[in-house]
Amino acid sequence: MSSVREDYIAPWWIYWLHNFPHVNLNFQPIDNTFTPEDQNYQQSLIFLGCVAAAGLGVNLLCLAIYLSCLCCCRKDEEEESKRPNSCCVTWSAVAAGLISCAAVGVGFYGNSETNDGVYQLTYSLYNANHTLGGVNSLVTGTMGGMESGLKQHLARLDEIFATRGDYVQTLRFMQQMADNVIKQLLGLPDWDIAKVDLAAIADQTANVEYYRWLTYLLLLILDLVICLAACLGLAKQSRWLLTTMMVFGVLTLILSWASLGADLATAVGTSDFCVAPDKFVMNQTKGLITSDIVHYYLYCSQTLPNPFQQSLTIFQRSLTTMQIQIQGLLQFAVPLFPTAEVSDPCSCHVQPRKHPFMSTESIASSQRDLLGIQNLLNSSEASLHQLTALLDCRGLNKDYLDALVGVCYDGVEGLLYLCLFSILAICAFCAMLCAIPRAWTHIASRERDYDDIDEEDPFNPQARRVATQNPSHTTNMHSFCSYSSSMGSQSSLHPPAAQAVSNAPVSEYMNQAALFGGNPRYENVPLIGRGSPPPSYSPSMRATYLSMTEDQIRHFGNDFQA
C-alpha cells in the first residue's frame, strides 16, 4: 500500500516547528515523533514552557537592573538635560503605543484564526461521530431484526407448516440465510470497541477552546486599556496613574511570557502531529480495527479495495434469496389464506377458500408471519443501502481531511500569530516600563523646580496665577527689590506715569530711608524712573538678605554708593 498523500500536504510552518529541538528536562535530545503518551515527549513540550519562564526571569532581572541604575545614577537635572530626557520619554511612549496597537491587531487575527481551526476540527468530529453512530445503529437494528423478529416468524411458520415438508425445508433455508446475514454483520468493525467517543472529545475541545478564546480576548483588551491609560497618564502627568499602570504592566508582561510559552509548546506539539497524522491514527487504532480498514478511510483511493465489499455483497445476496423464498411461499400459500378471495357469480358476498389440512387460525397466523418476514426483509434491504453509503470512505475521509486542514493550517497559523502577539506585547510593555520611571522622575523634577521658585515673586508664573485668581492677595505681596522696602506695596512695581517722574526719587528716597539707615541715595532713581523690572531673589538670597544686621546693611549701602 502506498502511503503518499496526494490530498494533504503539510504547510511549511509545520516542518519549521517540527524541526525545533526536542529536549527533555534532563537536557537530553529525544525523537520528535508525536507520542503524547511518552513521558520524555511530554517533558520536551514542558521544556519549551520552561524556556519562556527563563526568558521572563531574564526580562524582569534586566528591568530591575535598569530601575536600580535609574534610581542610583539620578543627578541634579539641569536645563541641558531636561530636554533630552523629555524627548526620550516621548519617543519611548510613542514606540510602546505603536507596538502595543500592532500587537493587539495581530492578537485579534491570531485568536480568530485559531478559533476557526478548532471549530472546523469539532465540526468534523461531530460529522464523523454521526457517521459512525449511524453505522452502529444500522448494524445493531438489522442484527436485532434478524435474530429476534425473523427467528420468531420462522419458528411459528415451522409449526404451522409442519405437515408440509417442502415448506419446512424452505424455512430452514431462510434460517441459514439469516444466520449468514448475521455473520456478515458481525464481521463489520464495531466502532464502539475503540472506546473513543468522538462527540465527547468534540464537546471537551469546544469547551476548552471557548475559555481559551475568551482568555485571549480579555488579555487583548487588557493590553489595549493599559496602553491607553499609560498614554493618558503621560499626557496628564499623573503620577498615581503612571504608577498603577506600571504595576499592571508588570502583570501583563508576566501573562505575555506565559502565553508565549503555552502557544509555542502547543504549536510544536501540533506540528509534530501534522507532519505524520496517518501514522499516529494507525498506531492508535492498532489492535482495535484492522489496518486495511484504517488505511481505506485515511487514503480513500480508487485503487484501494473496499474491505466491506465482500460482506455487503453476501448480505445483499442473502436478502435477495430470502425475498425469493418468501415470494414463493406467498404464491403457493395464497389459496390457504383467508384473505384469498373467491367470487360467486350468483352472490355478492366473498367467501374464503378452505384448506382441508389447516384451520382458519393457522392460516391467518401464517399469513401474518409471511407478511412480517417480507416487511423485515424490505427494511433490511433499506438498511443495507444506507449502510453501504455510510461505510463508503468518502464521507469519513472528507471529515478527516477537514479536521487536518483546520488544525494544521488555521489552528497552527493562528498559534504562530499569537506567539508574535506575545513577543510584540513583551517589547511594548518593556518600552513602557522603561519610559514610565523616567516620566515619573521628569514630573517630580518639574514639581521640585516650581517649589524652588519664590512663591511671592511677582514674576513667578504660579504667583501670577495666584494673583489673577485672588486679587486681594496682591496687595500683601512683598517685594525684595533694591528700590523697594520689605513692607512696600505691589503698586510700586508698576512704572510711574510720565508726569510723576520728578516725584519718583522723593518717594523712593522715603521708602529706602529705613532700609539704609536714613542716608539718602539717588543712584537707582533712573532705574525707577524707567519703570524697569526689579531683579527677583531666590529663596537662598532672600534668607541671606534678611539675616543681615543693620550695620552690615549700612556697610553694604556705603559700598554700593562708592
Side-chain angles (χ1 to χ4, degrees), residues 132-151:
L132 298 179
V135 171
N136 289 332
S137 177
L138 290 174
V139 171
T140 303
T142 304
M143 289 182 60
M146 289 293 175
E147 290 178 348
S148 60
L150 183 61
K151 286 185 177 181

Side-chain angles (χ1 to χ4, degrees), residues 43-66:
Q43 290 181 4
S44 66
L45 299 181
I46 297 175
F47 181 80
L48 296 176
C50 294
V51 171
L56 171 62
V58 173
N59 192 1
L60 294 178
L61 180 62
C62 293
L63 288 176
I65 294 174
Y66 170 77

Side-chain angles (χ1 to χ4, degrees), residues 70-271:
L70 187 64
C71 294
C72 296
C73 300
R74 182 185 301 173
K75 299 179 180 180
D76 294 333
E77 295 192 6
E78 301 175 351
E79 293 295 332
E80 296 81 1
S81 61
K82 289 179 182 178
R83 185 171 298 176
N85 290 337
S86 178
C87 182
C88 180
V89 170
T90 302
W91 283 109
S92 298
V94 170
L98 294 178
I99 297 175
S100 179
C101 292
V104 170
V106 172
F108 271 109
Y109 179 76
N111 198 30
S112 177
E113 283 292 305
T114 305
N115 184 259
D116 292 341
V118 176
Y119 174 78
Q120 192 169 353
L121 170 63
T122 56
Y123 184 78
S124 300
L125 289 177
Y126 283 127
N127 285 341
N129 183 75
H130 177 73
T131 301
L132 298 179
V135 171
N136 289 332
S137 177
L138 290 174
V139 171
T140 303
T142 304
M143 289 182 60
M146 289 293 175
E147 290 178 348
S148 60
L150 183 61
K151 286 185 177 181
Q152 291 177 2
H153 290 303
L154 292 177
R156 285 194 294 266
L157 289 174
D158 188 52
E159 294 178 357
I160 294 173
F161 297 145
T163 58
R164 298 293 303 267
D166 53 348
Y167 291 171
V168 173
Q169 186 178 2
T170 301
L171 295 177
R172 295 286 187 274
F173 182 73
M174 291 180 62
Q175 183 63 49
Q176 292 178 0
M177 293 295 101
D179 293 338
N180 197 15
V181 169
I182 294 173
K183 181 180 179 180
Q184 299 305 318
L185 292 176
L186 290 174
L188 296 177
D190 187 6
W191 305 105
D192 290 335
I193 64 176
K195 300 185 184 301
V196 176
D197 190 358
L198 297 180
I201 295 176
D203 292 337
Q204 294 176 2
T205 305
N207 291 332
V208 172
E209 170 58 22
Y210 172 75
Y211 289 109
R212 186 210 62 80
W213 175 83
L214 183 61
T215 301
Y216 265 98
L217 182 64
L218 295 177
L219 181 60
L220 293 170
I221 296 175
L222 179 63
D223 290 352
L224 190 60
V225 169
I226 290 176
C227 180
L228 294 178
C231 293
L232 180 63
L234 290 174
K236 295 293 185 178
Q237 296 184 358
S238 176
R239 297 171 65 179
W240 70 268
L241 185 57
L242 291 177
T243 304
T244 304
M245 290 306 103
M246 189 172 181
V247 174
F248 279 99
V250 173
L251 176 61
T252 310
L253 185 65
I254 296 174
L255 294 178
S256 299
W257 276 105
S259 64
L260 177 61
D263 293 336
L264 184 59
T266 305
V268 171
T270 307
S271 299

Side-chain angles (χ1 to χ4, degrees), residues 324-558:
I324 293 174
Q325 298 298 324
I326 289 297
Q327 290 293 334
L329 289 176
L330 288 174
Q331 182 179 359
F332 290 106
V334 166
L336 306 178
F337 294 162
T339 56
E341 299 175 355
V342 178
S343 299
D344 187 359
C346 299
S347 175
C348 298
H349 298 284
V350 178
Q351 296 178 355
R353 294 182 179 181
K354 304 294 183 181
H355 194 277
F357 303 103
M358 301 180 64
S359 63
T360 304
E361 292 80 3
S362 299
I363 294 174
S365 177
S366 64
Q367 180 194 19
R368 289 194 300 269
D369 289 329
L370 289 175
L371 292 178
I373 292 175
Q374 190 178 35
N375 293 331
L376 180 61
L377 293 178
N378 291 334
S379 63
S380 298
E381 186 176 6
S383 300
L384 173 64
H385 293 304
Q386 296 179 9
L387 189 62
T388 303
L390 291 177
L391 288 176
D392 188 77
C393 66
R394 288 173 291 182
L396 288 177
N397 182 261
K398 181 181 181 301
D399 295 333
Y400 176 66
L401 292 179
D402 290 342
L404 286 181
V405 171
V407 172
C408 302
Y409 279 81
D410 295 338
V412 178
E413 183 183 4
L415 289 176
L416 289 178
Y417 278 106
L418 289 178
C419 291
L420 180 59
F421 151 73
S422 299
I423 294 174
L424 292 177
I426 290 170
C427 296
F429 283 103
C430 286
M432 187 183 72
L433 292 176
C434 291
I436 287 179
R438 286 188 171 273
W440 196 86
T441 305
H442 183 69
I443 295 172
S445 63
R446 290 187 59 181
E447 293 178 355
R448 187 169 58 252
D449 292 340
Y450 278 121
D451 292 338
D452 290 341
I453 299 176
D454 186 9
E455 296 180 356
E456 298 180 355
D457 186 359
F459 298 96
N460 184 5
Q462 291 182 349
R464 286 201 297 267
R465 286 196 296 268
V466 173
T468 304
Q469 297 174 0
N470 190 9
S472 61
H473 180 68
T474 306
T475 57
N476 297 326
M477 187 178 297
H478 300 286
S479 177
F480 297 95
C481 303
S482 59
Y483 63 94
S484 63
S485 68
S486 59
M487 301 300 294
S489 63
Q490 182 66 21
S491 60
S492 62
L493 296 176
H494 299 283
Q499 65 273 13
V501 173
S502 59
N503 296 329
V506 179
S507 62
E508 292 302 324
Y509 170 77
M510 297 299 296
N511 290 332
Q512 295 192 19
L515 181 61
F516 292 98
N519 295 327
R521 284 174 301 278
Y522 296 94
E523 288 79 7
N524 52 1
V525 171
L527 179 61
I528 296 174
R530 289 198 307 266
S532 300
S536 60
Y537 291 93
S538 65
S540 59
M541 296 177 62
R542 176 184 174 186
T544 303
Y545 186 78
L546 292 177
S547 63
M548 295 174 63
T549 62
E550 184 178 356
D551 295 336
Q552 291 175 342
I553 293 174
R554 187 178 297 108
H555 180 70
F556 174 76
N558 295 332

